[in-house]
Amino acid sequence: MNATVPAPAVSPTAPDTLNDAERLQAYRRVKRRESRKALLLAAPLLLFLLVTFIAPIGTLLLRSVQNPEVPQAMPDATALLQQWDESGLPDADVYAAMARELVEASKAGELGRVARRMNFYNPAMRSLLLKSARKLKRMSVEDAQLALLEVDGRWGDKEIWRVLKRAGQSPTPDYLLNAIDRHVDQDGDVASLPPEESVYMAAFSRTIWISLSVTLLCLALAYPVAWLLANLPERHSRRMMLLVIVPFWTSLLVRTTAWYVLLQPNGVINSLLTGMGMVSQPVPLIFNRTGVLIGMTHIMLPFMILAIYSVMKGISPVYLRAAQSLGAKPLGAFFRVYVPQTLAGVGAGCFLVFVLSLGYYITPALLGGAGDEMISQLISIQTNQQLNWGLAGALSAYLVIFTAIFYFIFNRLVGIDRLRFG
Amino acid sequence: MTSSIHQKKEQPSSEPFISLTDISKSYDGKDYVVYDLNLAINKGEFVSLLGPSGSGKTTTLMMLAGFETPSQGEVRMGGKRLDKLPPYDRDIGMVFQNYALFPHMTIAQNVGFALTVRNVDRREIKARVKQALEMVELSHVANRRPAQLSGGQQQRVALARALVFEPALVLMDEPLGALDKRLREHMQYEIMRLHRELGLTTVYVTHDQSEALTMSDRVAVFFDGRIQQIAPARELYESPHNAFVANFVGENNGLDGRVSAIDQNTASLALAGGAVIRGGISQSLSVNTHGMLFLRPEQLRIAKGDENLGNRVSGVLEDIVYCGDHHRVRVHLGENDRLVCKLTNSWEHSLPAIGSKVDLTWRIEDCKVLPPLLASAQSSVSS
Amino acid sequence: MKTMRNTHLLAGASVLATMFAAGSLRAETELSVVTYGGAFENAVQEAYFKPYTEANGTEFNFESYDGGLAKLAAMVQANNTTWDIIDLESNDAVAGCDEGLLEPLDESILGDTADFIPGAISDCAVASMIWSTVFAYDKEKLADGPTSISDFFDTAKFPGKRGLRKSPKGTLEWALLADGVSKDEVYEVLSSKEGVDRAFAKLDTIKKDITWWESGAQAPQLLADGAVVMTQAYNGRIHDAVKNDGSPFVTVWDGQIYDFEWWGVPAGAPNADEAFELIAYASSPEVVARLSKYISYAPPRKSALPLIDDEILSDLPTAEANFNNAVQIDVDFWVDNFDVINKRFQVWLAQAANS
């Protein structure tokens, strides 16, 4: 064999680097223009989302760390208090500023907000501040320290001043701590609240527990129905689908009230049971966890069914045949071949139901009993009744964070991203 | 594995390996999808079920596989009643139209599935999957998922999966339908090779006649729920039993006429335009009934001078189409009667011009006079 | 379908008419009134607003809300108050005043302030009526029914479920009353941790027999359905069920916790002056006496009582026979302590479920 001479490495036309760079630039320019156009098309939606969704949530989350009430109403006293070292009582000028600004804030109608804010720290603060302001208005103040002590002896309590100092700090971790039953104690350490004031951790875990139960119940009920829907002849499945969707058109309140009628001690179900002699006493189906689970499962069921159905519809029945032809018994074929292919739908359904359940509110309020309070009910109390928007924001923040974590975990497990509807 | 999968060709015994006897299938008790079907398949045979869609071929396959139950009749394999067994107990491997590879499993898991559900030892599964993938030359994709494979590769995986558990019978339901032409031809050889090497008994459903003709030992032509003819490819092509087979398998000049005379082995067919053609008969015909001409286009020649091979008709050359290795020439005989002939390119230099008068001639034994289709069948074929 | 189209037409026509009216009669104002809605709104419309419109031509436009200051606070903070008159619960009236969400009230427009029941006038609001939290039972089911608040807590004498509002407010007061605390000392006792402990300890004794409700309409419903043998309820709701539905309910007045309902004018209200005029009108004895005809709430003025029929009077919280063991809710106490006590209440509720 002849030794082969290697071909010359130089090809007749060397790549024109300048030209390539230009071409690349032109390509990028076109690409940029295209993406700008796409952005422009999506702009109305983005704007809508920004205004109606992102901005309110952002504001809410911001509120959970903001502390504006006291510094705004009492700028001087707040500033002076920040320099106080908490060893003894504050200096006379702090007292003076406090006395002056109490009256000013009261006249400006701002003291109420301060009082409410302070009351979250200590239930005595509101009446102390309002009472002091009322009395100070009628006095001529020479020595502010004496005057305040005369008005109320508690102004000589270091704890009162420590709390006022904390209220002057913004951003504050206090709301976020309160939302998980913690607070900063007198020594400046984070400590748990006494058990009789620890509501929120229990409420969070209860909320998660109820949501999980509802999710699993929905899954157990929805899976066979979705299978039926996906495998029935079109004519029948369309009719059945209507049954699934109709509840969507009915108001939530109506549906919940209907359950109330069905489940109450003398309601339809109990009358049937006692009438047939199956039970002697009415079974407690309402005003307890059972009622909450029944009501919420019913309301969440369509979401689960639709999520699973949308995936099942895309799975050809031929897979089950293939598995059987390969020797798998029908049940084995179902679990080895069919179920794994529906996981994306199951995942999406579970995520949807779980997240919607986390924020649920009306149904547990109407069908639940003592100890079925979900976190959103407590958030609503803080928002509407207590006007404690900081705490409401903090509670919501944890809910948002938890949802995000759950999404992440779930996405890792079953890949919600892979899901395509329709 | 090959040795164990390889089945020795047994001596043809009196009893066929697979038999479908008097099978009928109806979904509503009125209309039959399959009617009075009898089919016997020998061990190691490659039988294709060929027919247009809705002809009952797929239903027949599904009754073999166990996904459909016959309304009447019985199915046997190796002497055992099959129609009472569920699909998973039939020991039949199946290749599906769109492969039906499990998308959530790797290729190795797909191929090993039949062994996994049979609780075969894990090490043995691994070895047999490896062997099966080597057999279809796809060892390198064992850990990919079906979606990452090309159509041809998926097809081969589906084959490996259906064969890995050494089934007594392999069913294939239009397995090459989704492939392009070149790949389809390649896969045809591949399937034939496996069939030969492993001594498989194969039932193959297709609507592609050339596929059926190339691959099969015998072809069963389905139409209207019945087998119209079952025969080796050559017999099917050269002597179809009836008009449907003649028209469906290969190209045919199926002119209608009246049977004007019958003697021993030939019949005369009078066309509407007045010409009379003589051809062989294979089935009972009676004089003065309708008959249909069976004449392959490649059997015709343009008569030179007064050349006459047995039949000779005159007509006007209507058009000529160039087809690479041949020309297709259409001649109008009068009325609605037209004949197409396929002329190899050596004719090119002497092709008459369009519009000129030509005479066509062919041998009597190269054409037949067949009984026409049944009325119901005719209507759906002509469309 | 046809009627629907007609209503649309009507609605459209009335919108047009209003627009023309607004254009031509610029001087005429329309005040925006916000109430809790329902029976109370109907009653005040009949008693005050319709006569006032007839007399002065001022139009009113009603809106209902679920209480709480959240919406009002948001409006005032945004300097965009659209409400003129607001119907307030006591704690909201106090907090709203403290926080500058309400316009200050000039007492002089009310006439003789001494005629008002003590506590019925605050810096920003005037009481519109007195309502009460009582309990009721079905006399067809309990022939020999409970008569005192102790009976409510006596499950041996009266077995069965009791309905209570899912709130510490009212519930804790009752527990103490039933435990022997006198009505004047209730809030004093409740101010200490030991007192709260005592209240919860008393509640523990009927814990498993309580059915909690959250909205006022639920209470008579629970009673009618037989889900409870007796239930805490707002007196007006029970009265309404008896009068309008013929329900066989009996109200037990012992231990009733009464409270004022208030009229206030939101800070920055567009028609504040007219709003105060209406409030003054609605507070005058002859006018305020009309209210009890439509709903069984009591007027906050002494001089209005003689103007009311005896039959109606006997169903009012302030009737002498009903008022013996009545506790006035201490709004300041609850504004200060609601959050802490409510937390404890929630914890206690959850324990109730576990035990």
Side-chain angles (χ1 to χ4, degrees):
Chain A
M1 203 195 265
N2 291 332
T4 47
V5 182
V10 184
S11 57
T13 51
D16 190 339
T17 48
L18 189 77
N19 234 339
D20 274 1
E22 272 175 0
R23 217 172 296 138
L24 198 67
Q25 224 168 15
Y27 170 77
R28 285 204 182 124
R29 219 168 19 239
V30 171
K31 252 320 198 220
R32 255 202 309 275
R33 201 177 311 140
E34 274 171 9
S35 55
R36 246 200 315 264
K37 220 182 283 172
L39 195 71
L40 210 65
L41 284 173
L45 178 64
L46 286 177
L47 197 72
F48 177 78
L49 280 180
L50 190 74
V51 172
T52 61
F53 186 70
I54 298 168
I57 284 190
T59 320
L60 192 71
L61 297 187
L62 261 183
R63 280 216 189 253
S64 67
V65 290
Q66 281 172 338
N67 213 359
E69 295 91 344
V70 182
Q72 265 171 25
M74 306 175 157
D76 294 351
T78 313
L80 286 167
L81 260 179
Q82 297 312 316
Q83 290 149 25
W84 172 49
D85 60 0
E86 301 189 31
S87 56
L89 282 173
D91 297 338
D93 50 351
V94 177
Y95 275 94
M98 180 56 72
R100 178 167 47 79
E101 288 182 334
L102 266 177
V103 176
E104 282 171 6
S106 175
K107 282 179 182 158
E110 283 177 357
L111 191 60
R113 221 172 304 150
V114 173
R116 180 163 49 77
R117 172 72 190 92
M118 294 312 300
N119 215 45
F120 299 144
Y121 283 113
N122 182 341
M125 286 303 285
R126 179 183 160 273
S127 50
L128 172 67
L129 292 172
L130 293 178
K131 196 178 91 183
S132 306
R134 237 182 341 255
K135 287 191 180 165
L136 284 171
K137 270 194 262 185
R138 298 193 201 112
M139 290 164 60
S140 56
V141 178
E142 280 161 24
D143 184 334
Q145 190 160 6
L146 282 178
L148 274 173
L149 286 171
E150 191 193 315
V151 164
D152 197 308
R154 282 177 291 180
W155 286 111
D157 184 352
K158 216 174 78 182
E159 176 61 14
I160 296 288
W161 292 103
R162 191 188 69 81
V163 169
L164 276 166
K165 182 179 170 185
R166 273 208 79 75
Q169 291 161 351
S170 189
T172 174
D174 289 350
Y175 289 121
L176 287 169
L177 288 172
N178 282 353
I180 49 171
D181 299 330
R182 304 281 191 282
H183 71 143
V184 174
D185 66 8
Q186 301 182 6
D187 307 325
D189 299 325
V190 175
S192 295
L193 286 170
E196 69 266 20
E197 286 180 36
S198 301
V199 191
Y200 297 117
M201 288 301 273
F204 273 121
S205 66
R206 183 163 55 235
T207 303
I208 290 166
W209 182 238
I210 290 178
S211 304
L212 272 179
S213 312
V214 169
T215 308
L216 291 179
L217 279 171
C218 280
L219 180 59
L221 293 172
Y223 201 89
V225 174
W227 190 83
L228 206 62
L229 280 171
N231 290 286
L232 274 180
E234 181 105 358
R235 194 155 47 92
H236 297 293
S237 76
R238 214 179 296 153
R239 210 168 301 157
M240 258 188 77
M241 184 55 97
L242 207 65
L243 293 182
V244 173
I245 292 172
V246 159
F248 270 139
W249 304 337
T250 320
S251 116
L252 190 76
L253 215 58
V254 170
R255 285 190 278 163
T256 305
T257 319
W259 277 115
Y260 175 84
V261 172
L262 284 174
L263 297 177
Q264 57 175 294
N266 297 324
V268 178
I269 291 178
N270 266 313
S271 307
L272 270 178
L273 287 178
T274 41
M276 291 191 299
M278 288 172 73
V279 292
S280 55
Q281 285 281 313
V283 186
L285 295 171
I286 198 171
F287 307 131
N288 53 24
R289 192 61 59 85
T290 317
V292 175
L293 293 183
I294 292 177
M296 283 181 67
T297 302
H298 166 245
I299 282 157
M300 296 298 172
L301 205 52
F303 295 103
M304 186 69 95
I305 292 176
L306 291 178
I308 298 178
Y309 167 78
S310 72
V311 170
M312 280 186 174
K313 230 188 132 200
I315 302 175
S316 160
V318 80
Y319 291 116
L320 281 179
R321 290 186 161 187
Q324 287 196 49
S325 81
L326 293 168
K329 295 194 172 54
L331 216 60
F334 186 74
F335 282 107
R336 280 170 194 269
V337 170
Y338 195 77
V339 172
Q341 293 190 58
T342 61
L343 279 186
V346 168
C350 285
F351 179 74
L352 204 64
V353 169
F354 184 79
V355 168
L356 286 175
S357 298
L358 279 183
Y360 234 63
Y361 178 128
I362 297 172
T363 310
L366 287 177
L367 300 181
D372 294 322
E373 220 105 47
M374 294 186 64
I375 196 72
S376 47
Q377 286 170 273
L378 299 179
I379 293 177
S380 142
I381 290 179
Q382 293 304 328
T383 315
N384 294 319
Q385 293 180 20
Q386 296 301 103
L387 290 189
N388 192 347
W389 292 348
L391 184 56
L395 290 169
S396 312
Y398 285 114
L399 210 52
V400 169
I401 290 167
F402 185 78
T403 308
I405 291 174
F406 183 76
Y407 176 80
F408 185 76
I409 294 173
F410 233 60
N411 202 16
R412 267 293 168 83
L413 286 180
V414 295
I416 296 165
D417 284 351
R418 276 189 277 131
L419 185 77
R420 275 159 193 70
F421 280 98
Chain B
M1 183 187 94
T2 319
S3 60
S4 54
I5 247 187
H6 193 96
Q7 292 152 338
K8 274 181 257 158
K9 291 226 175 182
E10 283 171 17
Q11 296 299 316
S13 60
S14 55
E15 180 145 342
F17 180 52
I18 304 213
S19 66
L20 294 102
T21 317
D22 301 333
I23 296 284
S24 292
K25 174 71 185 175
S26 169
Y27 290 104
D28 55 8
K30 285 184 289 185
D31 297 326
Y32 282 83
V33 200
V34 171
Y35 189 76
D36 205 16
L37 178 124
N38 286 284
L39 177 62
I41 299 164
N42 293 318
K43 195 143 206 175
E45 205 178 4
F46 193 121
V47 172
S48 287
L49 313 184
L50 173 69
S53 57
S55 61
K57 59 185 194 305
T58 301
T59 309
T60 305
L61 191 80
M62 289 302 166
M63 286 192 280
L64 270 172
F67 298 121
E68 300 282 6
T69 335
S71 309
Q72 283 157 38
E74 57 178 55
V75 184
R76 283 174 184 275
M77 180 162 79
K80 220 169 52 180
R81 270 298 277 274
L82 208 56
D83 44 303
K84 302 289 180 212
L85 283 179
Y88 48 87
D89 277 341
R90 292 197 175 192
D91 195 23
I92 293 175
M94 183 150 178
V95 178
F96 290 85
Q97 203 163 5
N98 291 308
Y99 326 133
L101 297 180
F102 307 136
H104 59 292
M105 295 183 190
T106 63
I107 297 310
Q109 283 167 336
N110 261 288
V111 174
F113 185 82
L115 304 174
T116 315
V117 297
R118 284 174 173 76
N119 292 319
V120 174
D121 174 68
R122 199 186 301 177
R123 246 176 312 166
E124 199 191 328
I125 294 180
K126 213 173 158 190
R128 284 170 69 177
V129 166
K130 186 162 172 270
Q131 217 171 350
L133 283 175
E134 274 167 8
M135 176 180 81
V136 294
E137 294 158 7
L138 281 176
S139 308
H140 58 290
V141 298
N143 292 319
R144 292 196 205 154
R145 283 181 195 275
Q148 293 165 287
L149 265 53
S150 71
Q153 286 175 320
Q154 291 187 34
Q155 177 55 60
R156 272 150 51 201
V157 173
L159 269 173
R161 186 176 74 171
L163 297 179
V164 75
F165 63 107
E166 299 163 23
L169 170 67
V170 181
L171 306 178
M172 301 192 194
D173 183 9
E174 309 223 10
L176 307 181
L179 301 181
D180 63 51
K181 186 166 177 286
R182 187 185 290 265
L183 202 53
R184 197 157 61 221
E185 275 164 13
H186 174 74
M187 283 307 298
Q188 284 173 9
Y189 288 112
E190 193 85 341
I191 290 171
M192 283 158 74
R193 174 180 69 84
L194 287 169
H195 172 78
R196 210 170 41 241
E197 282 177 7
L198 305 178
L200 302 169
T201 309
T202 307
V203 178
Y204 189 102
V205 162
T206 181
H207 66 270
D208 179 340
Q209 42 132 335
S210 78
E211 199 169 286
L213 296 182
T214 0
M215 298 173 76
S216 328
D217 295 327
R218 285 191 297 154
V219 179
V221 180
F222 274 72
F223 180 68
D224 212 17
R226 299 162 206 247
I227 294 182
Q228 304 288 332
Q229 184 172 8
I230 172 158
R234 190 182 181 111
E235 192 185 325
L236 209 61
Y237 190 79
E238 290 178 359
S239 52
H241 273 187
N242 60 28
F244 175 77
V245 179
N247 284 333
F248 191 74
V249 180
E251 205 179 341
N252 182 34
N253 284 305
L255 299 184
D256 280 322
R258 190 177 52 80
V259 181
S260 58
I262 298 176
D263 54 32
Q264 262 184 330
N265 285 324
T266 58
S268 302
L269 187 70
L271 301 181
V276 176
I277 294 159
R278 289 183 67 209
I281 39 173
S282 60
Q283 279 190 359
S284 58
L285 272 179
S286 40
V287 181
N288 269 334
T289 57
H290 278 283
M292 197 196 79
L293 179 65
F294 164 66
L295 171 60
R296 298 287 183 205
E298 65 267 28
Q299 308 290 2
L300 288 157
R301 302 179 52 177
I302 293 177
K304 293 180 186 147
D306 46 8
E307 181 187 18
N308 190 341
L309 298 173
N311 282 308
R312 180 168 170 142
V313 293
S314 307
V316 178
L317 199 153
E318 221 172 34
D319 74 299
I320 302 172
V321 177
Y322 174 73
C323 298
D325 58 341
H326 68 274
H327 280 85
R328 295 170 62 83
V329 176
R330 197 166 59 180
V331 177
H332 185 211
L333 305 182
E335 298 291 319
N336 283 324
D337 295 331
R338 287 179 176 79
L339 285 175
V340 173
C341 39
K342 237 166 147 178
L343 303 175
T344 53
N345 279 352
S346 54
W347 278 89
E348 192 181 355
H349 58 276
S350 58
L351 275 177
I354 291 178
S356 58
K357 187 175 171 295
V358 287
D359 281 8
L360 297 169
T361 181
W362 67 94
R363 302 191 306 172
I364 294 173
E365 52 270 42
D366 284 341
C367 75
K368 278 197 173 72
V369 179
L370 297 174
L373 292 175
L374 297 172
S376 69
Q378 192 122 39
S379 63
S380 46
V381 157
S382 56
S383 60
Chain C
M1 205 61 203
K2 197 174 173 189
T3 46
M4 222 164 99
R5 195 173 313 137
N6 284 346
T7 35
H8 280 306
L9 278 176
L10 270 179
S14 64
V15 166
L16 273 178
T18 328
M19 281 165 60
F20 280 114
S24 56
L25 304 169
R26 202 168 286 268
E28 289 222 0
T29 45
E30 191 182 67
L31 300 196
S32 158
V33 183
V34 182
T35 73
Y36 280 76
F40 181 67
E41 187 189 299
N42 295 339
V44 293
Q45 286 216 35
E46 295 296 329
Y48 311 150
F49 291 94
K50 280 185 185 165
Y52 192 78
T53 306
E54 276 166 30
N56 302 356
T58 308
E59 297 284 345
F60 299 98
N61 143 38
F62 285 85
E63 200 177 309
S64 69
Y65 80 135
D66 288 327
L69 292 171
K71 200 167 174 188
L72 180 60
M75 273 192 198
V76 174
Q77 273 175 26
N79 273 327
N80 184 27
T81 309
T82 55
W83 295 344
D84 293 307
I85 300 172
I86 181 167
D87 167 27
L88 295 155
E89 268 191 336
S90 291
N91 51 338
D92 290 338
V94 170
C97 198
D98 286 346
E99 301 191 18
L101 301 177
L102 297 174
E103 294 283 343
L105 171 78
D106 176 7
E107 281 182 10
S108 63
I109 65 165
L110 297 173
D112 179 12
T113 53
D115 185 40
F116 282 79
I117 289 172
I121 301 172
S122 82
D123 291 348
C124 310
V126 59
S128 60
M129 53 97 166
I130 296 166
W131 58 281
S132 181
T133 305
V134 294
F135 74 96
Y137 64 92
D138 185 335
K139 69 180 172 203
E140 283 179 359
K141 291 183 181 130
L142 287 181
D144 194 11
T147 53
S148 72
I149 193 67
S150 315
D151 289 343
F152 191 87
F153 283 77
D154 193 339
T155 50
K157 206 159 132 198
F158 299 100
K161 293 271 186 190
R162 283 114 166 90
L164 270 177
R165 182 179 165 203
K166 200 193 254 179
S167 164
K169 235 191 258 186
T171 304
L172 294 189
E173 285 94 325
W174 274 10
L176 289 181
L177 285 176
D179 205 32
V181 177
S182 86
K183 63 171 181 144
D184 301 322
E185 287 168 359
V186 165
Y187 287 103
E188 204 176 302
V189 174
L190 217 46
S191 298
S192 68
K193 191 173 177 300
E194 293 72 29
V196 177
D197 288 344
R198 186 173 165 186
F200 276 112
K202 184 68 182 172
L203 276 176
D204 275 333
T205 63
I206 59 163
K207 183 154 60 173
K208 63 176 175 30
D209 292 308
I210 299 174
T211 292
W212 300 99
W213 53 263
E214 283 187 72
S215 91
Q218 278 178 282
Q221 193 60 50
L222 287 172
L223 202 54
D225 296 339
V228 294
V229 295
M230 57 184 87
T231 182
Q232 190 179 50
Y234 303 131
N235 72 302
R237 299 272 187 182
I238 297 300
H239 182 82
D240 198 53
V242 173
K243 203 173 115 192
N244 298 331
D245 303 338
S247 305
F249 298 161
V250 177
T251 303
V252 180
W253 291 99
D254 185 59
Q256 64 150 307
I257 296 169
Y258 71 91
D259 194 2
F260 295 113
E261 187 78 13
W262 304 79
W263 290 127
V265 177
N271 306 299
D273 293 341
E274 289 88 342
F276 279 119
E277 263 171 50
L278 181 275
I279 287 174
Y281 167 80
S283 300
S284 58
E286 315 76 53
V287 177
V288 79
R290 281 187 221 143
L291 181 71
S292 305
K293 263 196 274 183
Y294 302 101
I295 196 161
S296 69
Y297 294 130
R301 298 187 79 135
K302 293 165 197 160
S303 60
L305 284 176
L307 305 173
I308 297 172
D309 295 344
D310 285 350
E311 200 192 332
I312 296 174
L313 199 61
S314 67
D315 285 331
L316 298 184
T318 46
E320 214 165 26
N322 304 337
F323 212 60
N324 283 335
N325 195 23
V327 178
Q328 185 190 352
I329 199 144
D330 186 335
V331 179
D332 270 315
F333 173 83
W334 281 116
V335 173
D336 280 354
N337 294 293
F338 180 82
D339 214 31
V340 172
I341 292 182
N342 188 46
K343 271 189 179 178
R344 175 126 189 228
F345 183 69
Q346 297 293 346
V347 172
W348 179 81
L349 279 180
Q351 285 165 351
N354 296 337
S355 63

